[in-house]
Amino acid sequence: LSEFYKKFEKDLHYAEKHMENIKRMEKPTDEKCERCGSALVIKWGKHGSFFACSSYDKEDPNTCTFTKENPIDLPDLDSADIQETTQEEYCENCGRVMVLKRGRFGQFMACTGYPDCRTTRRLDQGKKVPDIPLDELCPKCGRNMMIRHGRYGEFTTCSGYPDCKYVKQNFIGMKCPLCKEGELVEKRARKGNTFYGCGNYPKCKFTSANKPIPEKCPDCGHEYLVEKFLKAGPVIACPNKECDYERAAEPAPVG
């Protein structure tokens, strides 16, 4: 190791004296600044090269700060590691067009609705799963419903989005035990886990991490039980923390 570090130290001293600082380099171009008309120069940053206005002075806050991406550093969209597409990609959350951007961790797709919509997608996630049209009609506008795929899984919504924002709820066939009015709905959290909430949200904020069962607890009389999935298998249990009632869940019928 001593021989390695001797050579390394020698190379390091040489680099300090003779190596150019690429981040301080500027390459003149024939392009003009879109904001002030001054000449643009090519500079280098931690994400590669970019165009910047030559009139910029970091000591003067009133100078032009215009910059734009250098297309030479953008990825080849026809390369094998990026899937080809002949259609524009639309945001799965708001319906706006997605565009290619570059961040500290590389290239990614981002919604043009930023900052109102912050949807992004890594390029290595591949193409968006195509929507599946259904014969079922939207109860609000009469258009066909379709199955879409979002970051938290698939969901059924109106094909007329964003004009019609109807989303079909996955009801579980049980009234909300809190407000006694709404129907309980299976939902997905931001982390992708399933939970159950009242269809009258935000008026009613009942939620349960486990699927409620419309059955009273035989031990404490709690008005509903829940289905839990343990290592030993699924069980039906009482959500009352002071009650220990629990039984094995009956296997789901086949066919």
Side-chain angles (χ1 to χ4, degrees):
L1 286 178
S2 60
E3 293 182 4
F4 168 79
Y5 281 110
K6 284 181 181 179
K7 185 178 184 304
F8 177 75
E9 186 177 7
K10 182 179 178 181
D11 292 339
L12 186 62
H13 287 311
Y14 179 86
E16 289 176 348
K17 292 182 179 180
H18 301 283
M19 184 177 291
E20 292 182 292
N21 186 344
I22 193 171
K23 289 188 176 181
R24 294 183 180 178
M25 292 176 59
E26 292 185 1
K27 182 179 179 181
T29 70
D30 296 330
E31 294 196 40
K32 299 295 183 182
C33 175
E34 299 174 11
R35 189 176 298 170
C36 71
S38 301
L40 291 180
V41 295
I42 295 178
K43 293 187 176 184
W44 282 263
K46 59 182 178 180
H47 302 310
S49 62
F50 62 95
F51 287 95
C53 183
S54 58
S55 66
Y56 171 72
D57 182 358
K58 65 179 181 180
E59 303 295 335
D60 185 358
N62 296 319
T63 55
C64 182
T65 58
F66 175 80
T67 61
K68 70 175 183 177
E69 289 183 326
N70 184 358
I72 295 177
D73 279 350
L74 293 178
D76 181 6
L77 296 183
D78 293 326
S79 60
D81 59 338
I82 299 178
Q83 298 188 27
E84 295 181 359
T85 177
T86 57
Q87 297 180 343
E88 286 186 322
E89 181 175 339
Y90 295 93
C91 175
E92 62 192 29
N93 291 319
C94 73
R96 296 183 178 96
V97 176
M98 301 283 283
V99 294
L100 181 68
K101 290 197 174 184
R102 177 171 52 199
R104 60 185 301 183
F105 302 116
Q107 306 292 331
F108 64 96
M109 300 298 291
C111 178
T112 52
Y114 180 88
D116 296 329
C117 179
R118 298 175 180 267
T119 302
T120 59
R121 179 182 69 77
R122 299 193 313 271
L123 290 180
D124 58 7
Q125 286 180 316
K127 284 185 178 179
K128 180 183 176 183
V129 179
D131 299 331
I132 303 173
L134 302 174
D135 293 332
E136 181 182 353
L137 300 180
C138 173
K140 284 193 173 182
C141 71
R143 296 184 179 96
N144 285 82
M145 300 288 287
M146 64 170 44
I147 297 176
R148 299 180 187 268
H149 298 80
R151 64 174 65 184
Y152 308 126
E154 67 178 34
F155 59 98
T156 304
T157 182
C158 179
S159 60
Y161 182 88
D163 295 331
C164 178
K165 298 182 180 180
Y166 174 78
V167 177
K168 185 177 181 180
Q169 303 278 17
N170 188 13
F171 296 106
I172 65 171
M174 177 179 168
K175 284 284 187 182
C176 174
L178 181 61
C179 70
K180 315 295 184 184
E181 296 178 358
E183 294 283 340
L184 292 187
V185 182
E186 180 181 314
K187 298 185 176 183
R188 286 288 184 94
R190 291 186 176 182
K191 294 183 179 180
N193 56 297
T194 300
F195 74 99
Y196 301 86
C198 181
N200 280 344
Y201 178 87
K203 183 179 178 181
C204 176
K205 297 185 178 180
F206 171 84
T207 60
S208 173
N210 301 297
K211 184 178 180 179
I213 305 295
E215 179 184 338
K216 281 191 175 183
C217 176
D219 286 359
C220 71
H222 195 276
E223 60 182 308
Y224 69 94
L225 300 174
V226 294
E227 183 179 25
K228 293 183 177 181
F229 292 89
L230 308 178
K231 290 183 178 180
V235 298
I236 304 299
C238 180
N240 183 1
K241 295 181 180 180
E242 298 179 357
C243 180
D244 296 327
Y245 176 78
E246 184 178 289
R247 73 170 189 266
E250 296 180 3
V254 179

